């Protein structure tokens, strides 16, 4: 299982021995996403709480609930597929100074703790290593990653109407783990 953690759009790639299955965990479902169907891609929405509260403790509580909800969905996928190893993109420390870095770090470590609860082998891969392994460029943009992914997994080559860059990353995270990167 490969995981690209995100508060807004967590990408998950699972190889079941025959084919790749993808899950996109989103904080808000667009109309296009709600109408979208694909036999290899599932979109799961959670009710993302927006941190529009004025009180610090209320904002922090909402962030915690969002992270908890993402982890519950991932836990359900772990129970369903029973992976023996989970590869996950690590925290991008190059985003220093960003408030999002704190939230993503919290999500990243919450997922790690949940994986540990199930005694599953875990591999944490640096974000630049994922891009270097995928397209030989640690600074590659999202579209380059998506294009490379579509060339390698023909089952998803026809997807154009929704945002899928987190899924491309999850695919390459899993490939990195399989190739010992």
């Amino acid at each position: 299982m490969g995981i690209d953690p995100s508060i807004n759009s967590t990408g998950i790639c699972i190889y079941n021995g025959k084919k790749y299955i993808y899950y996109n965990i989103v904080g808000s479902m667009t109309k296009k996403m709600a109408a979208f169907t694909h036999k290899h891609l599932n979109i799961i929405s959670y009710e993302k709480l927006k941190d529009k509260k004025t009180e610090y403790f209320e904002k922090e509580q909402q962030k915690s609930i969002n992270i908890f909800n993402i982890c519950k969905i991932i836990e359900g996928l772990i129970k369903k597929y029973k992976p023996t190893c989970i590869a996950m993109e690590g925290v991008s420390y190059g985003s220093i100074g960003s408030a999002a870095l704190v939230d993503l770090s919290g999500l990243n470590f919450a997922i790690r703790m949940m994986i540990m609860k199930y005694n599953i082998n875990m591999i944490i891969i640096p974000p630049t290593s994922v891009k270097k392994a995928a397209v030989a460029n640690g600074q590659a943009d999202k579209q380059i990653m998506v294009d490379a992914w579509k060339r390698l997994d023909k089952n998803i080559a026809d997807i154009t109407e929704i945002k899928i860059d987190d899924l491309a990353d999850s695919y390459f995270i899993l490939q990195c783990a399989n190739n010992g990167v």
Side-chain angles (χ1 to χ4, degrees):
M1 178 183 280
I3 303 175
D4 180 29
S6 168
I7 301 293
N8 295 317
S9 178
T10 293
I12 297 178
C13 175
I14 299 165
Y15 185 69
N16 70 359
K18 297 177 184 173
K19 64 183 176 187
Y20 292 98
I21 303 164
Y22 301 95
Y23 288 87
N24 197 2
I25 303 169
V26 297
S28 60
M29 183 81 79
T30 66
K31 288 180 183 180
K32 283 184 180 180
M33 287 178 180
F36 180 81
T37 59
H38 196 278
K39 67 180 183 176
H40 299 286
L41 169 56
N42 306 280
I43 301 173
I44 302 172
S45 178
Y46 74 96
E47 190 176 329
K48 181 181 176 191
L49 301 175
K50 310 285 192 252
D51 61 352
K52 297 190 187 279
K53 301 283 185 179
T54 56
E55 295 295 326
Y56 177 84
F57 73 92
E58 292 174 314
K59 288 181 183 181
E60 291 302 308
Q61 183 178 25
Q62 288 177 338
K63 290 176 186 180
S64 297
I65 291 168
N66 290 338
I67 289 170
F68 177 78
N69 287 330
I70 294 167
C71 287
K72 275 184 69 167
I73 294 168
I74 294 171
E75 184 173 34
L77 295 173
I78 288 171
K79 288 178 179 179
K80 178 177 181 176
Y81 291 100
K82 298 175 179 37
T84 57
C85 182
I86 297 176
M88 187 168 74
E89 186 174 67
V91 177
S92 173
Y93 294 111
S95 304
I96 293 175
S98 168
L101 174 63
V102 175
D103 298 339
L104 287 173
S105 297
L107 173 61
N108 198 293
F109 282 92
I111 294 170
R112 292 180 194 196
M113 297 303 109
M114 194 225 354
I115 292 168
M116 291 172 73
K117 172 181 155 183
Y118 288 95
N119 294 315
I120 299 170
N121 291 328
M122 177 175 32
I123 300 169
I124 306 301
I125 301 172
T128 54
S129 295
V130 174
K131 292 179 178 188
K132 281 180 188 174
V135 296
N137 178 352
Q139 303 300 314
D141 70 23
K142 294 174 187 255
Q143 192 58 51
I144 291 171
M145 296 288 286
V146 169
D147 292 343
W149 171 50
K150 285 184 171 189
R151 284 191 300 275
L152 294 169
D153 187 350
K154 302 295 185 206
N155 290 320
I156 51 80
D158 60 336
I159 301 173
T160 57
E161 57 272 10
I162 61 167
K163 179 183 175 300
I164 56 172
D165 56 275
D166 299 302
L167 298 169
D169 289 350
S170 71
Y171 172 85
F172 285 115
I173 290 164
L174 184 57
Q175 300 311 307
C176 284
N178 288 336
N179 296 323
V181 172

